């Protein structure tokens, strides 16, 4: 048994390392891949590829990363843009490829240190500071570029070691080509190119390090010349370099403080982040799965690293080389973000800026763990336990993170199902205002894509037909005021949206409560709504909602229609209320209350109050009103406004007067 474990360990440190990296990729990111969807910029990219095709993608990327857009044009022509799970696999594949490239690079740079190569690649793979892996469509392309840079470094090392001129030229050409891909497509990994000279210097044997030996190998620094050439082009000739982000350095002390904070966040805080245990909101089942996953991973990693060889025979100077390269990697990684005032953080969305720090942080930590004094008891135990514990909890942290995205996808699907029930069709040119929706991985900008997908179809149009705006984000930017009759526009890069404050529908969505289209006359004083949304909702008018059926939601995105629970009956009743179909409102109310379910927001009783009142079912209308008031006295202003409308629209009768007298606002006009 011991001999078998030793043989397996030797295999995984060598030829089996790619398989081990693949297994860890699946454990960390792949367990939920069928339950994940499109997030953040994934939705616009997928919608643009489906609706506007390759030309649309070229137009979208033309003002920020035009050559990166070429990768999207290729990938979206190969994978289905209406189905999220292939893009999850796409993202996982390129995450694995980048870790494999890093393993090959470290193994080639320090060939006598297999533990360093494997541990640094595993740390690179599960780095807990980056939590946006489930945004597979977008970050799969990020890791294509990262992989190109790492393979370029590897090719430079192979060129340095080549014994024939032909092999050296072939490896050098590959290094140049892959470096060109990195430098031309995006800026995230641009400054990591500066690590190449140090990497080559470290790989030269000591006797070949004099200047004359470097001169003989100067051609290996051609990628560095390419770096300066592309840098000059970006700085002085590329017209859109500052299209989206302007330089924002701040004062020297501010800049230095941010640099130090970024180094702490990406080099230390990210690893500590792995040990955050799941909160109660994750659910007991998720907590059990997390514990099982961490336990399983820890057992396997302990078996792998418990008796693994340490770096005891390496040259003293070579022992410190990974630390030096890792530290320099951290220092140069943050340049693009410090320049533009975009600080790396461990929370969404700024955790995307931790990506370039993966190389330096992983290599530095792996190098530090190798320096533990294994000749001492505490150092020996630390060497055995530290890496497996860190990796196991990082795997668990990535699983928990994916579960958050899974729940966001469920919430987003619920949003659009409920919206489609309440608003089967929208007149083109309509702007939707909403609260900041309780989903981490979406913005109003990203959800504008499925909004147009659902209501506008997939036929390309010269202008967007629909726009979603969060007043808290867009006030003073896209929308200058809440006055009626104000035109405004938003450039969606692939096409503009031209709207007017006269054509607005406002809604509120805060699950588990149902989506609610806001009636400005009733809810203008509803203190349970965000203040900015109340102000914006004054422009709302439900007449832009049409009851005629629209195209069904794409099944590959939203699945089959959910079972009809409370929210279905509420949405359909509110639509019937808008049309004045009181009989339908009452029938839906009877069916809804017979479910044994109940509203999660007291305002959800209002359509049924109005419907029952119009049909003379005054006792039921009064009882529902009292039920809502019993939840919170904050409901009194909107309920009183509702009853004022009921009083104005229903015939005067003793029953009506008795109902009004039973309410705290019965003296209203």
């Amino acid at each position: 048994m011991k001999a078998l474990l030793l043989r397996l360990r030797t295999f995984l440190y060598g030829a089996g390392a790619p398989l081990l990296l693949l297994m860890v990729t699946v454990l960390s990111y792949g367990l939920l891949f069928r339950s994940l969807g499109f997030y953040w910029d994934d939705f616009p990219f997928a919608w643009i590829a489906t609706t506007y095709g390759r030309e649309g993608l070229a137009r979208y990327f033309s003002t920020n990363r035009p050559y990166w857009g070429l990768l999207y044009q290729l990938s979206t022509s190969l994978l289905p843009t209406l189905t999220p799970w292939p893009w999850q696999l796409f993202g996982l594949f390129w995450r694995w490829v980048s870790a494999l490239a890093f393993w090959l690079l470290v193994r080639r740079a320090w060939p006598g240190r297999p533990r360093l190569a494997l541990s640094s690649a595993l740390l690179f793979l599960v780095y807990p500071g980056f939590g946006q892996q489930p945004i597979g469509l977008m970050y799969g392309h990020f890791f294509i570029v990262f992989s190109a840079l790492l393979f370029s470094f590897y090719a430079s090392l192979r060129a340095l070691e080549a014994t024939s001129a032909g092999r050296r030229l072939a490896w050098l050409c590959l290094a140049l080509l892959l470096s060109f891909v990195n430098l031309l497509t995006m800026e995230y990994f641009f400054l990591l190119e500066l690590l190449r000279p140090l990497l080559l210097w470290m790989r030269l044997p000591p006797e070949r390090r004099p200047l004359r030996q470097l001169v003989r190998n100067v051609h290996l620094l051609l990628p560095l010349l390419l770096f300066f050439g592309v840098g000059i082009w970006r700085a002085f000739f590329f017209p859109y370099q500052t299209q989206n982000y302007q330089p924002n350095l701040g004062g020297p002390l501010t800049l230095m403080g941010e640099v130090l904070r970024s180094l702490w966040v990406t080099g230390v805080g990210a690893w500590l982040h792995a040990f955050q245990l799941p909160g109660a909101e994750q659910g007991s089942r998720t907590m059990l799965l997390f514990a099982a996953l961490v336990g399983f991973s820890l057992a396997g990693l302990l078996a792998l690293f418990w008796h693994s060889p340490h770096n005891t025979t390496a040259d003293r100077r070579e022992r410190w080389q990974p630390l030096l390269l890792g530290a320099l990697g951290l220092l140069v990684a943050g340049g693009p973000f410090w320049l533009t005032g975009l600080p790396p953080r461990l929370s969404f969305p700024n955790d995307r800026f931790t990506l370039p720090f993966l190389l330096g942080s992983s290599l530095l930590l792996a190098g530090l763990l190798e320096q533990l004094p294994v000749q001492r008891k505490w150092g020996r135990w630390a060497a055995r336990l530290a890496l497996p514990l860190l990796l196991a909890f990082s795997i668990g942290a990535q699983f928990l993170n994916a579960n958050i995205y899974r729940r966001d996808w469920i919430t987003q699907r619920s949003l659009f199902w409920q919206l489609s029930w309440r608003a089967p069709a929208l007149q083109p040119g309509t702007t939707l205002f909403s609260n900041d929706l309780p989903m981490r991985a979406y913005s109003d900008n990203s959800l504008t894509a499925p909004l147009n997908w659902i209501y506008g179809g997939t036929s390309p149009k010269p202008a967007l037909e629909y726009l979603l705006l969060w007043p808290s984000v867009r006030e003073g930017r896209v929308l200058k005021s809440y006055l009626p009759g104000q035109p405004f526009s938003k450039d969606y890069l692939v096409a503009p949206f031209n709207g007017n404050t006269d054509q607005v529908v406002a809604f509120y969505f805060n699950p588990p409560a149902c989506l609610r289209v806001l009636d400005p006359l009733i809810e203008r004083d509803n203190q349970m709504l965000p203040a900015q949304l109340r102000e914006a909702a004054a422009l709302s008018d439900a007449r832009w909602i049409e009851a005629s059926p629209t195209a069904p939601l794409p099944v590959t995105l939203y699945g089959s229609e959910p079972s009809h629970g409370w929210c279905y009956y509420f949405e359909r009743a509110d639509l019937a209320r808008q049309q004045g179909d009181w009989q339908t409102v009452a029938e839906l109310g009877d069916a809804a209350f017979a479910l044994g379910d109940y509203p999660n927001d007291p305002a959800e009783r209002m359509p049924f109050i109005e419907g029952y009142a119009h049909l003379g079912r005054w006792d039921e209308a009064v009882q529902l009103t009292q039920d809502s008031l019993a939840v919170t006295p904050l409901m009194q202003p909107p309920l009183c406004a509702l009853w004022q409308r009921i009083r104005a629209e229903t015939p005067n009768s003793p029953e009506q007067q008795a109902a009004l007298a039973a309410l705290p606002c019965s003296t209203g006009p």
Side-chain angles (χ1 to χ4, degrees), residues 200-217 315 317-318 321:
L200 292 172
W201 169 269
M202 289 176 174
R203 194 66 191 98
L204 281 171
E207 65 275 9
R208 292 178 59 189
R209 288 182 184 165
L211 183 60
R212 64 178 180 273
Q213 297 296 338
L214 286 179
V215 171
R216 294 178 184 176
N217 293 281
D315 181 86
R317 289 168 299 187
E318 187 178 302
Q321 288 177 357

Side-chain angles (χ1 to χ4, degrees), residues 67 108 122:
Y67 298 102
R108 180 62 57 175
L122 287 169

Side-chain angles (χ1 to χ4, degrees), residues 144-154 178-179 182 189 192-193 196 359:
I144 288 176
V145 179
F146 208 169
S147 300
L149 173 66
L150 295 171
F151 276 121
S152 177
F153 285 171
Y154 173 78
L178 295 175
S179 176
N182 169 56
F189 315 111
L192 291 181
E193 180 63 44
R196 192 187 304 266
L359 187 156

Side-chain angles (χ1 to χ4, degrees), residues 1-21 103 107 113-119 122 298-310 383-384 387-388:
M1 185 66 178
K2 187 175 180 180
L4 180 61
L5 287 175
L6 179 61
R7 189 171 300 175
L8 178 61
R9 188 183 299 119
T10 303
F11 170 71
L12 293 176
Y13 269 74
L19 178 60
L20 175 63
L21 292 172
W103 173 73
R107 193 165 178 256
R113 305 171 69 174
R115 177 188 172 98
L116 175 71
L118 186 60
S119 61
L122 287 169
L298 183 59
L301 291 163
L302 284 172
L304 178 63
F305 288 107
W306 191 261
H307 295 293
S308 60
H310 295 284
R384 289 173 173 175
L387 182 63

Side-chain angles (χ1 to χ4, degrees), residues 593-611:
F593 290 112
L595 292 173
D597 201 350
Y598 56 88
N600 284 291
D601 187 314
E604 291 169 16
R605 294 183 177 90
M606 291 198 294
F608 306 113
I609 293 171
E610 195 167 9

Side-chain angles (χ1 to χ4, degrees), residues 186-433:
M186 60 187 311
E187 69 287 345
Y188 267 58
F189 315 111
F190 195 89
L191 292 181
L192 291 181
E193 180 63 44
L194 296 173
L195 299 179
R196 192 187 304 266
L198 180 60
L199 186 63
L200 292 172
W201 169 269
M202 289 176 174
R203 194 66 191 98
L204 281 171
E207 65 275 9
R208 292 178 59 189
R209 288 182 184 165
L211 183 60
R212 64 178 180 273
Q213 297 296 338
L214 286 179
V215 171
R216 294 178 184 176
N217 293 281
V218 71
H219 57 286
L220 298 178
L221 297 180
L222 286 176
L224 193 61
L225 295 179
L226 183 63
F227 165 81
F228 287 112
V230 176
I232 292 171
W233 171 75
R234 279 183 172 273
F236 299 105
F237 299 101
F238 181 50
Y240 303 110
Q241 182 63 39
T242 57
Q243 177 79 10
N244 295 324
Y245 301 106
Q246 299 290 331
N248 183 22
L249 285 171
L253 292 179
T254 301
L255 177 60
M256 181 170 292
E258 184 49 53
V259 169
L260 293 176
R261 183 176 182 181
S262 298
L263 295 179
W264 171 263
V265 165
T266 57
V268 179
W271 302 109
L272 298 177
H273 192 64
F275 295 99
Q276 288 189 355
L277 297 179
E281 71 280 356
Q282 289 269 14
S284 57
R285 182 184 177 189
T286 300
M287 295 175 72
L288 288 174
L289 289 172
F290 167 78
L293 180 59
V294 171
F296 172 78
S297 303
L298 183 59
L301 291 163
L302 284 172
L304 178 63
F305 288 107
W306 191 261
H307 295 293
S308 60
H310 295 284
N311 181 40
T312 56
T313 59
D315 181 86
R316 179 175 297 179
R317 289 168 299 187
E318 187 178 302
R319 287 172 64 90
W320 294 98
Q321 288 177 357
L323 302 181
L324 177 60
L325 190 67
L328 183 61
L330 283 175
L331 284 172
V332 301
F337 314 115
W338 300 326
L339 177 65
T340 51
L342 298 171
R345 296 291 184 264
L346 299 180
S347 57
F348 187 92
N350 281 28
D351 57 333
R352 69 189 188 273
F353 303 138
T354 66
L355 264 179
F357 294 88
L358 262 70
L359 187 156
S361 187
S362 304
L363 187 58
L364 180 62
L365 180 56
L368 287 172
L369 291 176
E370 280 213 339
Q371 304 307 314
L372 291 170
V374 293
Q375 67 277 10
R376 298 184 180 181
K377 186 175 181 179
W378 71 267
R380 186 162 56 253
W381 280 99
R384 289 173 173 175
L385 294 174
L387 182 63
L389 279 170
L390 186 55
L391 290 172
F393 274 90
S394 295
I395 291 170
Q398 294 294 1
F399 167 75
L400 292 177
N401 180 68
N403 189 53
I404 293 173
Y405 279 85
R406 180 188 66 84
R407 292 163 62 192
D408 264 11
W409 181 243
I410 293 173
T411 303
Q412 183 265 152
R413 289 197 298 181
S414 177
L415 162 71
F416 281 108
W417 272 115
Q418 292 186 41
L419 183 62
S420 70
W421 293 333
R422 176 59 183 86
L426 289 169
Q427 290 193 26
T430 300
T431 302
L432 297 184
F433 286 162

Side-chain angles (χ1 to χ4, degrees), residues 430-604:
T430 300
T431 302
L432 297 184
F433 286 162
S434 81
N435 55 307
D436 292 5
L437 299 175
M439 296 176 283
R440 185 184 71 173
Y442 296 100
S443 68
D444 56 349
N445 191 64
S446 57
L447 292 175
T448 288
L451 181 68
N452 281 272
W453 213 335
I454 292 167
Y455 287 102
T458 56
S459 299
K461 300 172 180 65
L464 266 64
E465 293 184 312
Y466 308 98
L467 183 70
L468 176 63
L469 286 183
W470 292 352
S472 63
V473 176
R474 306 301 175 182
E475 183 179 350
R477 299 168 64 185
V478 175
L479 192 68
K480 302 305 180 183
S481 73
Y482 296 121
L483 297 174
Q486 300 297 308
F488 62 91
S489 63
K490 188 177 190 307
D491 184 6
Y492 209 67
L493 297 182
V494 70
F497 175 82
N498 301 306
N500 194 291
T501 54
D502 281 345
Q503 190 172 345
V504 167
V505 173
F507 69 88
Y508 180 69
F509 183 57
N510 188 27
C514 306
L515 180 146
R516 198 166 80 253
V517 171
L518 300 180
D519 185 334
L521 297 178
I522 301 301
E523 300 204 72
R524 60 192 173 193
D525 296 320
N526 188 348
Q527 298 299 313
M528 298 176 66
L529 296 175
Q532 284 179 304
L533 182 60
R534 287 202 309 272
E535 186 179 1
L539 300 168
S540 184
D541 193 334
R543 66 191 175 95
W544 306 114
I545 296 174
E546 299 176 345
S548 58
T550 187
L553 275 64
V555 175
T556 54
L557 289 177
Y558 294 100
S560 57
E561 186 170 1
S563 59
H564 293 170
W566 169 265
C567 285
Y568 170 81
Y569 291 103
F570 167 77
E571 304 297 352
R572 302 302 292 180
D574 202 33
L575 177 62
R577 179 207 57 77
Q578 173 190 327
Q579 298 171 298
D581 185 354
W582 305 116
Q583 185 62 44
T584 299
V585 172
E587 291 173 357
L588 289 166
D590 293 342
F593 290 112
L595 292 173
D597 201 350
Y598 56 88
N600 284 291
D601 187 314
E604 291 169 16

Side-chain angles (χ1 to χ4, degrees), residues 37-49 57 60-61 64-65 68 72 132 134-139 141-142 188 244-245 348-349 352 405 441-447 449-450 453 474 492-493:
F38 289 136
Y39 307 93
W40 204 241
D41 286 346
D42 279 2
F43 250 138
F45 295 160
W47 171 69
I48 290 168
L57 286 169
Y60 182 89
F61 287 104
N64 45 39
R65 297 166 180 154
W68 195 41
Y72 285 86
Q132 298 190 35
I135 309 177
L137 194 158
M138 181 167 72
Y139 286 106
H141 293 87
F142 272 76
Y188 267 58
N244 295 324
Y245 301 106
F348 187 92
R352 69 189 188 273
Y405 279 85
Y442 296 100
S443 68
D444 56 349
N445 191 64
S446 57
L447 292 175
W453 213 335
R474 306 301 175 182
Y492 209 67
L493 297 182

